[in-house]
Amino acid sequence: MDKYIEALKGISYSDWVKLRMCMDEEFDRQIGEAKKQIRFNGVEKVKRTIRHYIN
């Protein structure tokens, strides 16, 4: 973490906002792609949870 903090030394607030926005957009894109690959397979866990709340 120290190397990232050191690399940002002297960055202006305006540049920081731009960098943060670009990083957030890229992570959001990657998260969106990853979500497309997720498949539900927790049938038993959901059944137990439902039983817990019904009983």
Side-chain angles (χ1 to χ4, degrees):
M1 187 64 74
D2 289 344
K3 69 180 180 179
Y4 302 121
I5 295 169
E6 193 62 34
L8 292 171
K9 189 176 182 177
I11 191 170
S12 70
Y13 181 73
S14 176
D15 286 344
W16 165 250
V17 170
K18 291 173 194 171
L19 176 61
R20 186 185 67 198
M21 182 182 67
C22 293
M23 294 296 294
D24 285 345
E25 285 181 14
E26 178 58 18
F27 276 115
D28 288 344
R29 186 193 66 74
Q30 289 182 32
I31 289 167
E33 288 298 315
K35 283 181 177 182
K36 293 176 186 175
Q37 305 303 317
I38 298 171
R39 299 290 180 253
F40 175 72
N41 64 1
V43 175
E44 292 306 315
K45 186 172 183 175
V46 170
K47 285 180 183 179
R48 285 192 304 271
T49 302
I50 290 170
R51 286 188 207 112
H52 172 77
Y53 285 104
I54 291 176
N55 294 327

